[in-house]
Amino acid sequence: MYSLVAETSMGFNRTTLRKTNTIFHLYLIFENLIPPLSIQFYQPIILKTPDIIVPRGIENKVAISMVSDRVRKTLDHKSKLHQLELKRLGAASEDDPLSTKITTLPPSPQATGINTILLTPSTDREDFIFYFDRLATLLIETASSSVSFSPSRITTPQRTAYSGLQPSGEVSAVVILRGGSALETGLKRVIPDCLTGRILIQTSYRTGEPELHFRKLPTSLPQHELVLLLDAQMSSGGAALMAVRVLVDHGVEEGRIVYVCWMAGRQGLKRLCSVFPDLRVVVGRVVEDLEVRWVERKYLGC
């Protein structure tokens, strides 16, 4: 004689048997105890979780076709509403001046000279990368200038006291792939240990809408004092709107986000700032709307 402890897979009951024929009684437990518990506890959870139950699973092609058609029609309807909303925002802000939250790089001789080199069609890729990295450094420095500092007193190698400053909070960055990758060299020059996340947003050729394909964000992003959202070029502002919305949905305050790009369309900037009035923007050049994205192709070579 020995003991056999049988426990159901759901963990709801435990039965201790002291029998000689253990295999037979184990079979009885399975037949008489586990199926009723499964029906009582497990199946109700399954039935409450899904919104739609398709009988016979993948074999039921008619039901799956009906569900997919419904999802497709819903997405098409939302796409049309989104396009109408973008047009409405553009028409409403067409005559409005640019927001005071937008900072444009001052037209210094250095910035103007770099822009001249970058916009020259005959500039080879090696020179384009070199001068674009210089301009990206200026953009990141301008964007991170709003970080708060606290007093700090240190002792120099000559053993003299020096009263300086140190950052009070952490600055992180989120790169909008793939154009934002062109600004990463400038980011590492200004903030070498910057915590960086990534978002992949691509425009659908069928609907013209931005679609979120990938995101990887630091878990501590909402606690950071400043979050730089990097992109090389913006035209209509659809991808920027989605990227800012993703950050806000993940707990980042709108006023802590700084959108950084080299070239941006005027109407796109107005749309972005009308939807997110507390958002700050740092841009190198304000250009005409719907300019073809070419910066990342020139920088990345593909």
Side-chain angles (χ1 to χ4, degrees), residues 266-284:
R266 185 176 298 274
Q267 287 300 114
L269 287 174
K270 292 180 179 180
R271 290 191 188 109
L272 183 62
C273 293
S274 63
V275 177
F276 302 104
D278 294 332
L279 176 74
R280 287 173 286 175
V281 179
V282 175
V283 60

Side-chain angles (χ1 to χ4, degrees), residues 161-174:
Y162 176 77
S163 299
L165 298 173
Q166 63 179 3
S168 300
E170 186 174 357
V171 179
S172 59
V174 176

Side-chain angles (χ1 to χ4, degrees), residues 6-27:
E7 186 175 3
T8 66
S9 59
M10 295 298 295
F12 293 107
N13 192 15
R14 174 175 293 181
T15 304
T16 304
L17 298 177
R18 299 179 179 273
K19 297 291 182 180
T20 304
N21 193 351
T22 58
I23 301 298
F24 175 73
H25 287 281
L26 188 62
Y27 173 77

